[in-house]
Amino acid sequence: MKYFILFGPPGAGKGTQATAMVEKYNLHHISTGDLLRKEIKAGTELGIKAKTLIEAGCLVPDEVVEGMIESEFKSVKGVEGFLLDGFPRTIAQAEALDQILAKTEEEVTAVVSIMIPDQMIIDRISHRAAIEGRADDANVDIIKNRIATYHSQTEPEIEYYKAAGKYNEVDGIGTIDEVRERIADVMDKF
Ligand code: AMP
């Protein structure tokens, strides 16, 4: 199985691009944000706990998302691999992912990082707020907190994956089609 990670700050276009890529390469899309929003909608205990953290722009505990990822890997069949979107978001999650995959003697195939500047994050998320109605998109202070969380907790993964020789970066500025082409150019190699 192939395990691709679509990496980048909030608002970089990971969700949009993931939808196109899973079809092109017969992969299963796992968005931990989407899975968490489903739990919130269903009113589960996990959802109730996650809601406060998500709406403050903080991360949910590593164990919560790690468990979600492992059960998706086990339950989804009939695909050539997985495209992870929004996971891993901390070095601890990246290490946990390596350990989960090591159980079946597998490993991360490649990381594709979509890069955009901070100001563009705010513009794009504010625009998305009107379309998707996400509570964590609606307030500039929360968006700023998510950007700060990205820089402090998620960005260090870049060095982790560079050291593993798995890191690939594409420019996230441009039309959806342009960025999709850049991502496909990387994924075509694997
Ligand atoms: P996203 O849809 O990827 O922007 O995620 C929305 C929110 O869900 C994030 O701001 C976090 O609060 C939470 N979340 C999603 N994925 C993770 C993860 N891998 N680790 C911790 N929290 C996450």
Side-chain angles (χ1 to χ4, degrees), residues 4-6 14 30-32 62 65-67 69 73 84-89 93-94 96-97 100 157 161:
F4 288 103
I5 297 170
L6 210 46
K14 298 190 292 294
I30 308 179
S31 155
T32 40
D62 291 333
V65 280
E66 288 160 14
I69 289 284
F73 286 165
L84 306 183
D85 154 14
F87 179 91
R89 247 180 167 98
Q93 290 177 21
L97 175 61
I100 291 168
E157 283 180 35
Y161 285 114

Side-chain angles (χ1 to χ4, degrees), residues 10 14 31-34 36-37 53-55 57-62 65 85-90 93 128 134 136 146:
K14 298 190 292 294
S31 155
T32 40
D34 284 350
L36 290 165
R37 282 185 286 277
L53 291 165
I54 292 176
E55 291 183 1
C58 302
L59 297 182
V60 306
D62 291 333
V65 280
D85 154 14
F87 179 91
R89 247 180 167 98
T90 62
Q93 290 177 21
R128 183 172 73 185
R134 278 173 54 173
D136 61 341
R146 287 161 66 200

Side-chain angles (χ1 to χ4, degrees), residues 157-167:
E157 283 180 35
I158 294 176
E159 291 309 317
Y160 181 86
Y161 285 114
K162 273 188 183 166
K166 296 184 191 290
Y167 185 77

Side-chain angles (χ1 to χ4, degrees), residues 8-14 114 116 120-122 124-125 128 137 146 172:
K14 298 190 292 294
I114 310 174
I116 61 167
M120 196 173 275
I121 301 177
I122 298 179
R124 288 210 191 160
I125 293 184
R128 183 172 73 185
D137 282 350
R146 287 161 66 200

